[in-house]
Amino acid sequence: MTLDAEPLDRAACQAMDAADPLASLRDRFDLPEGLIYLDGNSLGAMPKDAAARAHDVVTREWGTGLIKSWNSAGWFDLPVRLGDKLAPLIGAAPGEVVVCDSTSQNLFKVLSAAVALRPDRRVLILEGSNFPTNNYIAEGVAAATGGRVEVRLCEKDEIAEAIDEDTIAVAITHVHYKSGHVHDMAAITARAHAAGALSIWDLCHSAGAMPVDLNGAGVDFAVGCTYKYLNGGPGSPAFLFAARRHQGQALQPVTGWWGHAAPFAFEPGYRPQQGIRQYLIGTQQILSMALAEVGLDIHLSADMGAIRTKSIALTDLFIRLVEQRCAGHGFTLASPRAAEARGSQVSFAHADGYPIMRALIAAGVVGDFRAPDTVRFGFTPLYVRFVDVWDAVDRLVAIMDGGIWKLPEHQVRDAVT
Amino acid sequence: MTLDAEPLDRAACQAMDAADPLASLRDRFDLPEGLIYLDGNSLGAMPKDAAARAHDVVTREWGTGLIKSWNSAGWFDLPVRLGDKLAPLIGAAPGEVVVCDSTSQNLFKVLSAAVALRPDRRVLILEGSNFPTNNYIAEGVAAATGGRVEVRLCEKDEIAEAIDEDTIAVAITHVHYKSGHVHDMAAITARAHAAGALSIWDLCHSAGAMPVDLNGAGVDFAVGCTYKYLNGGPGSPAFLFAARRHQGQALQPVTGWWGHAAPFAFEPGYRPQQGIRQYLIGTQQILSMALAEVGLDIHLSADMGAIRTKSIALTDLFIRLVEQRCAGHGFTLASPRAAEARGSQVSFAHADGYPIMRALIAAGVVGDFRAPDTVRFGFTPLYVRFVDVWDAVDRLVAIMDGGIWKLPEHQVRDAVT
């Protein structure tokens, strides 16, 4: 997969697929015939085992097992069992991760915990251009303190300098949702700790796409979703990491019975679980959670180093082909060119990004558009092939060379097929 | 269904089933052969359509539709679409209910909203013997105010008197999870409003089991689950009601992007939705939510008045049969004897409740045990038959008369079959 040594044609891409150690994993997914799906960073594809698992959970676990499945089918322990499965993918230890709720809710919990852990400090630092819900949630956490805490939004290069003795925590998305740039988790965490601040990471765009080493970097808290690179299904539950040193207290304020030390003792007052379960609140959505396990299991059969190697090869190839074959069509790379600084996605800026993406989707290449001018493509190493990259660019070339994206919407589909 | 006029034998129960206007609804559910399921107040039974709906959501909506199903399959609007379906069952108007998250989380939102709406008051009133998570959540909301707010736990008869000018809100579960007693929603709400306090109701044990009239009573906020009498599946999402007069502000503090006025504009700051969607936080678990609709649809084909009539007849019959046929075996009714004061469940206290329930379950009658001494039976009018009540008591009589519940656990199953 050394790109520069290969002549860039479709046969070369086929040869790369033939040499790909992850190639067989594509068979674990069901992808619509002819579709090139480069949006797994928004919603991952469906594992072939998903339908059978859903059927089993509905008919056997629910329909036949009924109430006793809370124990016999292990429903009650799913959040920690899946958390333990996910842990090695993100450099966490068993008992440090739960799968539950949504990323936004989990961020609320860990930001609230951080505020509780640093009662004499005032500032939460986030990346201003990040996916907005993180910043909205931080606003809400700050507002709940009645003005004691404030949110400071920085951009990438300002973050390290912004951290000082008044910083409660720096809470950053590891891979930027739009550009795909990767933050230096270890360096920012070290900088935060040196100032007595906490380090919180959102792994939505990195978990499953690249090696993450939370404990290696000394991270305090992390959150992320399972429906992107982990292929857990639409809105599948998120996850939450709390380093073991932060467990044992009622640090997160949504103190529901699933976080109680003895949830079935029905005690009158709240006593926090001593472990990661304090970050649970109430009853989990079992069907969605069970499906998340199907995606996780595929990941556990693959080597994360091999996933990263292929991810870099796919994104390098895409950048090179677009820049060569669409030269002169006005695309500007909006992701880092250096592979080590880039997640498993590639964005290009183009003034006509919206109609171009619409035409691409009509041509069977699914990426997405992010206002005002970004076309974004995600490359999930488990099921995207090198030949898909070739074919995607091939269709993009046809759309650009033929001016198809300029046609009225209703004519685009005829033109691309 | 006038019980007193009927001779109480199995044939009489069969006659009551033959006259039951809801009888055909049982065919919409798949119940294990021979099982008498009296635990629908813990986890409702599986609708026959559930497996097909799960298959369709997984294979067509997710597998084939992929990312575009957020729009084309209506995923993004599910919380409000299902909320509007649920609204008439609880006396709410369209746009006042969302289906999302868990009951505990939703209670956190509405209690936080109440605290924000009454900044000069100090006390949240809850029922001390209620299902504990409500009280734990209230503790968390109070703790987050740094001591300004406190929780006062009362029992049923003390609540009205406890409400005063310092009360933020009274937050009560409409039907008590253990005894099944029904609180007077209209009277308590009127009392709260007279004191300038807010009225919040947890409908977990009443939604779908009896008519509820939130707007008729002038209720401010409500929450509840869909996995009990609404048969939404294990851990299916909860619901939240906010009266229209309380919408339009950022009242709940978990300010995620799904509650933003323009979630896809990716604005830097939080601007609340003007409607019920402000109570949403982040991405919903679509598979679990889609299944909740299957259960809701069955309810919408039934008349709530007929459901309540049958519920009362079932529970009256059960009380009468247990008291007659198990007389002298030590059961004491632990639910209100007056039908209008009782939900769709019946509890009996018995010193040996635990082994008795274990033997009953072995005999194919599923109820549940609540410490220290309560055996609890739920009667879902959509699928429980009068003959089931007869047969359940029949098996209870055999267990009591034969002393089967006193046998070692491993001998019980042989003894009851």
Side-chain angles (χ1 to χ4, degrees):
Chain A
M1 291 193 274
T2 50
L3 288 182
D4 295 335
E6 306 275 353
L8 285 181
D9 58 15
R10 197 171 194 278
C13 295
Q14 288 173 313
M16 292 162 80
D17 285 322
D20 173 13
L22 302 176
S24 67
L25 290 172
R26 181 178 166 93
D27 289 338
R28 309 268 304 259
F29 294 88
D30 236 338
L31 286 154
E33 185 70 30
L35 190 78
I36 300 173
Y37 191 60
L38 304 181
D39 212 2
N41 52 335
S42 196
L43 173 64
M46 183 191 70
K48 281 181 180 161
D49 291 345
R53 180 85 181 102
H55 185 79
D56 188 56
V57 174
V58 172
T59 60
R60 187 180 59 82
E61 295 186 7
W62 176 17
T64 304
L66 286 161
I67 190 65
K68 74 170 192 283
S69 287
W70 279 106
N71 294 313
S72 62
W75 291 346
F76 190 72
D77 289 324
L78 267 178
V80 286
R81 194 164 65 76
L82 297 197
D84 284 348
K85 277 199 175 189
L86 201 152
L89 301 181
I90 56 174
E96 290 188 316
V97 182
V98 272
V99 171
C100 63
D101 303 335
S102 69
T103 309
S104 296
Q105 290 167 316
N106 287 341
L107 190 66
F108 181 85
K109 297 176 204 170
V110 300
L111 286 174
S112 298
V115 168
L117 284 166
R118 293 291 181 273
D120 300 325
R121 294 175 172 228
R122 290 190 320 109
V123 181
L124 293 168
I125 296 176
L126 288 91
E127 190 174 20
S129 63
N130 191 12
F131 192 71
T133 200
N134 297 39
N135 302 338
Y136 301 158
I137 291 286
E139 263 189 66
V141 169
T145 67
R148 178 175 78 77
V149 170
E150 64 183 59
V151 178
R152 178 162 173 201
L153 301 180
C154 301
E155 288 312 312
K156 190 172 192 301
D157 297 334
E158 306 161 343
I159 291 169
E161 223 169 312
I163 299 169
D164 62 21
E165 323 70 56
D166 213 15
T167 305
I168 294 166
V170 54
I172 306 289
T173 300
H174 187 208
V175 172
H176 193 280
Y177 82 102
K178 201 161 156 180
S179 73
H181 69 238
V182 183
H183 286 276
D184 187 335
M185 179 182 283
I188 292 176
T189 299
R191 176 76 194 85
H193 287 178
L198 297 161
S199 164
I200 299 174
W201 293 86
D202 176 342
L203 306 177
C204 277
H205 289 272
S206 43
M210 62 172 61
V212 174
D213 191 3
L214 292 175
N215 282 329
V219 168
D220 296 285
F221 298 101
V223 299
C225 76
T226 65
Y227 53 74
K228 297 180 187 288
Y229 293 103
L230 295 171
N231 306 299
S236 59
F239 62 85
L240 184 155
F241 161 87
R244 195 171 310 269
R245 64 186 173 280
H246 295 308
Q247 297 178 15
Q249 304 165 72
L251 287 177
Q252 70 90 3
V254 194
T255 47
W257 69 303
W258 279 45
H260 193 281
F264 294 100
F266 293 3
E267 297 175 3
Y270 185 77
R271 261 198 312 134
Q273 280 266 355
Q274 293 305 295
I276 188 69
R277 287 183 197 244
Q278 199 270 320
Y279 289 88
L280 295 174
I281 299 172
T283 303
Q284 292 297 313
Q285 299 184 30
I286 296 304
L287 192 52
S288 285
M289 188 165 306
L291 274 260
E293 186 168 21
V294 178
L296 269 178
D297 281 343
I298 298 178
H299 250 90
L300 295 173
S301 68
D303 173 68
M304 190 55 80
I307 287 173
R308 178 64 172 159
T309 300
K310 182 177 176 186
S311 162
I312 288 174
L314 288 166
T315 51
D316 273 346
L317 175 65
F318 183 73
I319 292 169
R320 184 164 169 189
L321 287 174
V322 170
E323 292 191 334
Q324 284 180 352
R325 302 189 62 206
C326 296
H329 279 306
F331 290 100
T332 306
L333 183 64
S335 295
R337 188 171 297 280
E340 68 277 9
R342 193 175 65 225
S344 203
Q345 66 182 74
V346 174
S347 293
F348 283 97
H350 192 293
D352 296 301
Y354 183 76
I356 290 170
M357 182 52 74
R358 194 173 57 189
L360 259 180
I361 291 171
V365 179
V366 177
D368 56 26
F369 174 76
R370 286 288 177 259
D373 64 356
T374 302
V375 287
R376 187 182 76 157
F377 302 88
F379 298 84
T380 302
L382 299 185
Y383 52 77
V384 175
R385 298 168 299 195
F386 292 96
V387 74
D388 294 327
V389 176
W390 177 269
D391 291 344
V393 177
D394 220 39
R395 296 184 201 178
L396 179 62
V397 168
I399 284 165
M400 300 312 295
D401 287 352
I404 290 170
W405 60 273
K406 297 176 187 167
L407 294 174
E409 190 174 358
H410 66 279
Q411 292 178 23
V412 168
R413 185 168 291 275
D414 291 338
V416 295
T417 50
Chain B
M1 290 192 277
T2 49
L3 288 182
D4 295 335
E6 306 275 354
L8 284 179
D9 58 14
R10 196 170 194 277
C13 294
Q14 287 173 315
M16 292 163 79
D17 285 321
D20 173 14
L22 302 176
S24 68
L25 290 172
R26 182 178 165 93
D27 290 337
R28 309 270 303 261
F29 295 88
D30 235 339
L31 286 154
E33 186 68 30
L35 190 78
I36 300 173
Y37 191 61
L38 304 180
D39 211 3
N41 53 336
S42 195
L43 172 64
M46 184 191 70
K48 281 182 179 160
D49 291 345
R53 180 84 181 103
H55 186 79
D56 188 56
V57 174
V58 172
T59 59
R60 187 180 59 83
E61 294 186 7
W62 176 18
T64 303
L66 287 162
I67 190 66
K68 74 169 191 285
S69 287
W70 278 106
N71 294 312
S72 63
W75 290 347
F76 190 71
D77 288 325
L78 267 178
V80 287
R81 192 163 66 74
L82 296 198
D84 285 348
K85 276 199 176 190
L86 200 151
L89 300 181
I90 56 174
E96 291 187 317
V97 182
V98 273
V99 172
C100 63
D101 303 335
S102 70
T103 309
S104 296
Q105 289 168 318
N106 288 341
L107 189 65
F108 182 85
K109 296 175 205 171
V110 301
L111 287 174
S112 298
V115 168
L117 284 167
R118 293 291 181 272
D120 300 325
R121 293 174 171 229
R122 289 190 321 109
V123 181
L124 293 169
I125 296 176
L126 288 91
E127 190 174 20
S129 63
N130 191 12
F131 192 71
T133 200
N134 297 37
N135 302 339
Y136 301 159
I137 291 285
E139 264 190 66
V141 169
T145 66
R148 178 176 79 77
V149 171
E150 63 182 60
V151 177
R152 178 161 173 202
L153 301 181
C154 302
E155 288 313 311
K156 191 170 189 303
D157 297 333
E158 307 162 341
I159 291 169
E161 221 170 312
I163 299 170
D164 63 21
E165 324 71 55
D166 213 15
T167 305
I168 295 166
V170 53
I172 306 290
T173 300
H174 187 207
V175 173
H176 194 279
Y177 81 102
K178 203 162 156 180
S179 73
H181 70 237
V182 183
H183 287 275
D184 188 337
M185 180 182 283
I188 292 177
T189 299
R191 177 74 194 88
H193 287 177
L198 297 161
S199 163
I200 299 174
W201 292 85
D202 176 342
L203 306 177
C204 278
H205 290 271
S206 44
M210 62 172 60
V212 175
D213 190 4
L214 293 174
N215 282 330
V219 168
D220 296 286
F221 298 100
V223 300
C225 77
T226 65
Y227 53 74
K228 296 179 188 289
Y229 293 103
L230 295 172
N231 306 298
S236 59
F239 62 86
L240 184 154
F241 160 86
R244 196 173 307 273
R245 63 188 174 278
H246 295 310
Q247 297 178 14
Q249 304 164 72
L251 287 177
Q252 71 89 3
V254 194
T255 47
W257 69 303
W258 279 44
H260 192 281
F264 293 102
F266 293 3
E267 296 174 4
Y270 185 77
R271 262 197 312 134
Q273 281 267 355
Q274 293 305 294
I276 189 68
R277 287 184 198 245
Q278 200 269 321
Y279 289 88
L280 296 174
I281 298 172
T283 303
Q284 292 297 313
Q285 300 184 30
I286 296 304
L287 192 51
S288 285
M289 187 165 304
L291 273 261
E293 186 168 21
V294 177
L296 270 178
D297 282 342
I298 298 177
H299 251 88
L300 294 173
S301 68
D303 174 66
M304 191 55 80
I307 287 173
R308 178 63 172 159
T309 300
K310 182 177 175 186
S311 162
I312 288 173
L314 288 166
T315 51
D316 273 345
L317 176 65
F318 183 73
I319 292 169
R320 183 164 170 190
L321 288 174
V322 171
E323 292 190 336
Q324 285 181 351
R325 303 190 62 206
C326 296
H329 280 304
F331 290 99
T332 307
L333 184 64
S335 295
R337 189 171 298 277
E340 68 278 9
R342 192 175 66 224
S344 203
Q345 67 183 72
V346 174
S347 294
F348 282 97
H350 192 293
D352 296 301
Y354 183 77
I356 290 170
M357 182 52 74
R358 194 173 57 188
L360 260 180
I361 291 172
V365 179
V366 178
D368 56 27
F369 174 76
R370 287 287 177 260
D373 65 356
T374 302
V375 288
R376 188 182 75 159
F377 303 87
F379 299 84
T380 302
L382 299 187
Y383 53 76
V384 174
R385 298 168 300 196
F386 293 95
V387 74
D388 294 327
V389 175
W390 178 269
D391 292 344
V393 177
D394 219 40
R395 297 185 200 179
L396 179 62
V397 168
I399 286 165
M400 300 312 295
D401 286 353
I404 291 171
W405 60 272
K406 297 176 187 166
L407 295 174
E409 190 174 0
H410 66 281
Q411 292 177 22
V412 168
R413 184 167 294 275
D414 291 338
V416 294
T417 50

